[in-house]
Amino acid sequence: MLATSGRGADARFSEIVSGSLGHYKWTGEVALSVAAKPENWSARKQEMADLSLVCAASLPLTLLAAYALQPLADARRRLPPGPRPLPLLGNLLDIGEHPHRSFASLADIHGPLMFVRLGTVPAVVATSPEAAREVLQKKNASMAARRGLDAWRVMDHDANSMVALPPRGKWRAFRQHSRAALLGPRPLDEHRAVREEEARELVRRLSAAGGAPVDVAREAFVAMVNVLCRGMFSEKLDPAVVSELTDVAEEAAVLSGLPNVSDFFPALAALDLQGIRRKAGKVLAWLYTLIDEQIERRKLSRADGDARRNDLLDVLLDMDGDVRDEDGWVMNQESIRGLLMELLLGATSVPTTIEWAMSELLQNPPAIHKLQAELRNVLGTRPCAWMEESDTGSLPYLQAVVKETLRLHPPVPFATGLAEEAVEIEGYNVPKGTTALVNIWGICRNAKVWDEPNRFLPERFLHREIEFFGADFELIAFSAGKRICPGLQLSSKMVPLILGSMLYHFDWTLPGEEDAAPVDMTEQFGLVLSMAVPLRVVPKKIL
Ligand code: HEM
């Protein structure tokens, strides 16, 4: 076998070389001299063939040696412990379809700070509150950059992406403006009535379903998108467009979660071997068109002298064409559209949380009864009573259900970072250029942190002062530090309001009642960890 392939290689080698020789004869002195000494050439040819054979034979040995010596080399570099990487592939085969679960199991063996190689990309994975605090708080100044996903480099989106930008000028401006005009305390106060209206609108839509099963996440998504669009554009989108947006947002989340050769082997990214960037391009083009329509219409209405709306779009258009700060970037249509588009996509995590909450509650009759009893006690049983946002403060069990859902099913399973310089964590060296993955899901299911971590037990929060605002690293569903989720405050109002309204006004059953199949809790990994099989349930109006 070896001899045959050796001969084959030899023959191909001869072909290539004889072609080259022909060429050299015409062009160079060296070739002329080689051509003049055929006996030297055949000796050289033999030497080179021997050399290729030696190389081919020693490659497996070299790889084996690299494999065997890797732990030693890593220890000398004081890298955190981790599973032994395969040559070239690194730890890719250790990961599987549900990286948050695989990394959590690996952390049980290798510890809360692990070093892994994702193809050629080095990464540390943090799976304890202490390790997460190191990455997201203590060393955050050096680790808050992002490597970014190859899929979203299409159409230069990463240059206008809050998610992908480094934590400097443009990123800071995006966060400041979103906060000032949409997601911060002042605009949230001003938009309270909008959120309550959309929650009521949701109740009316569910009532209109007339006892037919509804897709819980889709319905909650409509409410969430309406709230965001009213804050960004002062108007809602057409319901047909919202319906299409639901599918597009889902596709975007799934595409972002697909294991992509381009992310693991950046040198091959240009080839887009799996076509993921091409598919992301289609998704992005659809979203860009949607946002561009809003921008163009507003520009026309401003040119016509229509009254200002003082929404996020107005605030951003006020800066259109301005050159900003020392980086010299320009606030232009691309920046505005990149920002608005990502805020709209951010909406997905809220319906996902509500869908997981409903799934858990439906399988826990005592919990759902306790929650409905609390809602009816506090809000009363008058017909036409509505839940208001301020009621949440008087509904401790509802708050506990929300926290327990975010613990058991954090919709964004990883917080991510990139070391822009070498840092030391827990005595280990994390080299510059290492990706940081804080396994939010893993921390929330860590048995050293939570009793019975896999059970849905809202009661655990009734007597435990723990919040998800980024200070308690046991529960960082919204991450923490510089890049903490900018939608945290909005979500902390919307999730209880929608969930509470749904359970206050309706009793819920699975389609088929007694013969109902158990809820399929399989996860779909992606940018958002959603349910693989959408939850469909029957609302029965009671109030
Ligand atoms: C239950 C609801 C939500 C949860 C649990 C959640 C969670 C998270 C997490 C964990 C991150 C950090 C991801 C990382 O480090 O890679 C994040 C970032 C982000 N979230 Fe949310 N999110 C939610 C809702 C929202 C909403 C409603 C919006 C938009 C209005 C939003 C917009 C964003 C954006 C733009 C980022 C990137 C921030 C940056 O990199 O600076 N999220 N979110």
Side-chain angles (χ1 to χ4, degrees):
M1 179 69 193
L2 191 68
T4 318
S5 60
R7 266 203 305 275
D10 207 28
R12 275 198 305 282
F13 182 83
S14 310
E15 265 169 41
I16 294 164
V17 172
S18 57
S20 311
L21 263 181
H23 176 69
Y24 280 130
K25 272 186 190 165
W26 292 105
T27 55
E29 232 174 83
V30 178
L32 278 174
S33 70
V34 169
K37 296 178 185 162
E39 68 287 359
N40 284 359
W41 168 245
S42 105
R44 285 267 303 276
K45 199 171 100 175
Q46 188 53 51
E47 272 170 27
M48 289 176 83
D50 290 349
L51 189 66
S52 1
L53 261 180
V54 171
C55 288
S58 59
L59 185 68
L61 276 179
T62 315
L63 294 178
L64 201 67
Y67 177 69
L69 297 175
Q70 190 71 57
L72 205 65
D74 288 357
R76 286 187 64 169
R77 291 171 68 202
R78 283 195 302 120
L79 296 179
R84 185 178 284 202
L86 290 173
L88 305 176
L89 291 179
N91 301 104
L92 286 180
L93 300 185
D94 291 324
I95 296 173
E97 261 181 54
H98 294 113
H100 54 298
R101 288 181 181 269
S102 316
F103 281 137
S105 307
L106 287 170
D108 286 342
I109 304 166
H110 300 283
L113 189 74
M114 268 188 315
F115 191 82
V116 293
R117 290 171 178 83
L118 308 173
T120 57
V121 173
V124 282
V125 188
T127 319
S128 69
E130 297 73 24
R133 187 186 291 279
E134 288 281 339
V135 173
L136 297 172
Q137 192 182 59
K138 293 186 185 163
K139 304 295 180 326
N140 203 217
S142 312
M143 301 192 82
R146 291 269 162 78
R147 193 178 290 282
L149 293 177
D150 181 74
W152 303 110
R153 293 205 182 107
V154 66
M155 294 156 102
D156 275 342
H157 176 70
D158 54 339
N160 295 298
S161 157
M162 193 199 285
V163 175
L165 281 166
R168 287 181 272 282
K170 199 179 207 178
W171 170 85
R172 201 176 302 117
F174 277 10
R175 288 194 63 114
Q176 276 167 0
H177 298 310
S178 317
R179 187 177 157 82
L182 184 75
L183 303 170
R186 194 188 49 79
L188 284 177
D189 259 9
E190 288 170 6
H191 298 158
R192 185 180 49 76
V194 167
R195 294 190 293 279
E196 289 173 351
E197 262 171 53
E198 289 305 328
R200 288 169 197 189
E201 197 50 46
L202 169 64
V203 170
R204 290 193 197 98
R205 273 202 313 278
L206 294 175
S207 306
V214 295
D215 181 326
V216 170
R218 267 188 112 84
E219 292 300 337
F221 184 76
V222 175
M224 195 58 205
V225 165
N226 286 347
V227 165
L228 277 173
C229 287
R230 289 175 72 178
M232 294 195 295
F233 314 127
S234 303
E235 62 186 35
K236 297 194 206 185
L237 298 175
D238 183 275
V241 176
V242 178
S243 170
E244 222 176 319
L245 176 59
T246 321
D247 298 327
V248 172
E250 196 180 312
E251 197 178 341
V254 172
L255 277 177
S256 311
L258 290 178
N260 188 349
V261 170
S262 302
D263 290 321
F264 304 136
F265 301 95
L268 300 178
L271 302 175
D272 188 24
L273 288 170
Q274 295 150 275
I276 294 180
R277 199 180 327 127
R278 185 175 43 77
K279 288 181 198 150
K282 285 190 185 160
V283 168
L284 218 54
W286 190 93
L287 291 162
Y288 277 5
T289 309
L290 175 77
I291 306 284
D292 277 345
E293 276 169 18
Q294 295 289 332
I295 300 178
E296 295 304 338
R297 267 198 299 133
R298 181 64 60 88
K299 279 186 173 169
L300 283 177
S301 106
R302 283 163 65 110
D304 288 347
D306 293 350
R308 278 180 64 82
R309 306 195 187 177
N310 277 328
D311 50 19
L312 180 58
L313 182 51
D314 260 346
V315 169
L316 295 173
L317 282 176
D318 288 345
M319 290 178 280
D320 195 12
D322 283 6
V323 179
R324 319 295 299 179
D325 82 13
E326 71 285 358
D327 303 349
W329 66 275
V330 184
M331 180 65 91
N332 54 17
Q333 181 134 346
E334 283 76 41
S335 330
I336 298 176
R337 144 212 309 153
L339 171 59
L340 295 177
M341 188 284 259
E342 285 193 352
L343 294 176
L344 206 52
L345 277 192
T348 351
S349 307
V350 168
T352 301
T353 307
I354 288 163
E355 188 181 41
W356 282 119
M358 286 291 277
S359 306
E360 289 292 350
L361 287 167
L362 282 162
Q363 296 172 90
N364 288 276
I368 199 166
H369 293 146
K370 190 166 173 180
L371 179 53
Q372 286 186 310
E374 180 183 79
L375 284 161
R376 284 156 207 176
N377 274 340
V378 173
L379 309 181
T381 49
R382 291 171 289 120
C384 301
W386 298 101
M387 177 173 168
E388 292 179 359
E389 221 169 70
S390 55
D391 292 323
T392 303
S394 322
L395 296 162
Y397 198 67
L398 174 62
Q399 292 174 42
V401 166
V402 171
K403 285 181 191 170
E404 182 64 343
T405 306
L406 286 168
R407 182 194 71 79
L408 206 52
H409 305 284
V412 182
F414 290 102
T416 51
L418 174 69
E420 290 192 286
E421 57 187 353
V423 291
E424 190 166 304
I425 298 184
E426 295 181 348
Y428 294 111
N429 180 28
V430 175
K432 177 179 173 182
T434 304
T435 291
L437 296 171
V438 175
N439 190 350
I440 299 177
W441 186 94
I443 295 171
C444 289
R445 300 276 185 130
N446 188 334
K448 293 190 184 114
V449 181
W450 301 97
D451 291 336
E452 301 191 76
N454 296 318
R455 284 190 63 199
F456 181 74
L457 293 171
E459 284 71 12
R460 70 173 88 235
F461 286 105
L462 289 178
H463 309 291
R464 192 169 170 185
E465 287 289 316
I466 184 163
E467 300 295 342
F468 46 67
F469 296 117
D472 299 319
F473 281 79
E474 300 91 326
L475 190 65
I476 44 165
F478 293 89
S479 186
K482 270 193 188 182
R483 300 197 87 128
I484 192 167
C485 173
L488 191 166
Q489 295 295 340
L490 171 62
S491 308
S492 70
K493 295 178 188 304
M494 282 303 281
V495 175
L497 179 64
I498 297 183
L499 188 63
S501 301
M502 285 171 121
L503 286 154
Y504 178 49
H505 291 278
F506 301 94
D507 276 338
W508 295 87
T509 46
L510 293 165
E513 305 237 347
E514 263 91 85
D515 309 327
V519 179
D520 184 342
M521 301 291 274
T522 312
E523 296 159 333
Q524 165 78 60
F525 182 80
L527 199 62
V528 171
L529 195 59
S530 54
M531 293 184 69
V533 180
L535 178 70
R536 292 182 63 76
V537 242
V538 182
K540 184 171 153 228
K541 185 98 167 71
I542 42 171
L543 278 174

